[in-house]
Amino acid sequence: MNSSLLSLLVLAGIAVFLILRLRSVLGSRDGFEKPPAPAGTRVRREFEVIEGGPDEDITDHVEDGTDSAKALAAMKMAEPGFRVGEFLGGARQAYEMILMAFERGDVEGLRPFLAPDVLETFEQVINQRNEQGLKIEAEFIGVREINLQRATFDRATSVGEITVRFVGELTSVVRNAEGEIIEGDSTAIKRQRDVWTFARTMGSDDPNWALVATDG
């Protein structure tokens, strides 16, 4: 065996030894393994997205972190289907129905929407008008403003109360027993401001809110 062949065999043996040594130290690439990112490429880390933050259905109407915001959140916990925006939409409709029923003197039309003591007060005013022979003719134009002013929640009774400020527009005249206009103008639109408080037992089967207090 010449010296050149002997040298090649020695070098080959050294190479095999080094390969086996490196494999034992570094390990082998078995199974699935992501290929290395190309040079100059930014590696994007994947993080779990955790949902959270303020409830916009609440913070669209009251400031986050206030007592009213906490009360509304508690109402949602007691009744997961409750939505503040939907409540205000219903309150807008109730405002028109209650206001117009009162102007017409329709006690039965008021009964489903009012708490007993509020109904009694409204009925007294209607009876006084009737005794005096007065009649109100009114036309509702619309709600110009509606704002949620305050909310409270009683955890012991699950009763939630929401106070809303309305600015309504309507025309109204008062006629005496002879049909003569003694107050108002049928062509003049006037603004009426009311602050009403609605209440309901959250989570109950009855979906209706009752008007429990008024403040003009």
Side-chain angles (χ1 to χ4, degrees), residues 1 9 26 60 62 69 95 129 143 198 200:
M1 182 178 296
L9 290 174
L26 301 177
D60 282 348
V62 296
Y95 177 70
R129 290 199 314 234
V143 176
F198 299 88
R200 177 173 172 267

Side-chain angles (χ1 to χ4, degrees), residues 84-206:
V84 181
E86 292 178 1
F87 162 80
L88 289 175
R92 179 189 292 267
Q93 296 177 354
Y95 177 70
E96 177 180 355
M97 288 188 290
I98 293 171
L99 193 60
M100 290 298 96
F102 175 71
E103 298 287 11
R104 293 191 303 267
D106 182 7
V107 176
E108 292 306 313
L110 290 169
R111 196 176 302 279
F113 303 102
L114 274 55
D117 55 340
V118 177
L119 177 63
E120 182 179 355
T121 300
F122 277 38
E123 192 172 5
Q124 288 175 355
V125 175
I126 291 172
N127 289 338
Q128 289 175 0
R129 290 199 314 234
N130 292 337
E131 291 172 359
Q132 297 171 9
L134 301 179
K135 181 181 179 181
I136 296 180
E137 295 178 354
E139 180 181 355
F140 190 79
I141 306 301
V143 176
R144 186 174 181 86
E145 296 178 21
I146 178 170
N147 298 297
L148 196 160
Q149 289 201 325
R150 183 175 61 258
T152 61
F153 182 70
D154 188 334
R155 295 181 183 274
T157 62
S158 294
V159 173
E161 292 193 359
I162 301 179
T163 300
V164 183
R165 179 179 181 272
F166 301 93
V167 177
E169 293 185 334
L170 66 157
T171 61
S172 177
V173 296
V174 180
R175 295 183 182 273
N176 59 20
E178 288 73 34
E180 300 169 336
I181 296 178
I182 61 174
E183 184 180 333
D185 184 344
S186 60
T187 62
I189 298 176
K190 69 173 184 178
R191 291 185 182 178
Q192 179 166 320
R193 294 171 177 82
D194 294 285
V195 178
W196 290 2
T197 299
F198 299 88
R200 177 173 172 267
T201 301
M202 306 305 296
S204 67
D205 294 333
D206 185 359

Side-chain angles (χ1 to χ4, degrees), residues 19-33:
I19 290 173
L20 293 175
R21 183 65 175 170
L22 286 171
R23 181 183 293 271
S24 66
V25 174
L26 301 177
S28 60
R29 294 175 178 268
D30 294 329
F32 173 77
E33 183 173 304

Side-chain angles (χ1 to χ4, degrees), residues 48-86:
E48 181 182 0
V49 178
I50 302 176
E51 295 183 359
D55 184 344
E56 292 184 358
D57 181 50
I58 294 176
T59 57
D60 282 348
H61 307 287
V62 296
E63 187 176 350
D64 187 32
T66 60
D67 289 341
S68 291
K70 294 175 182 177
L72 293 171
M75 291 183 202
K76 288 194 168 194
M77 291 183 65
E79 185 174 319
F82 171 64
R83 296 291 180 271
V84 181
E86 292 178 1

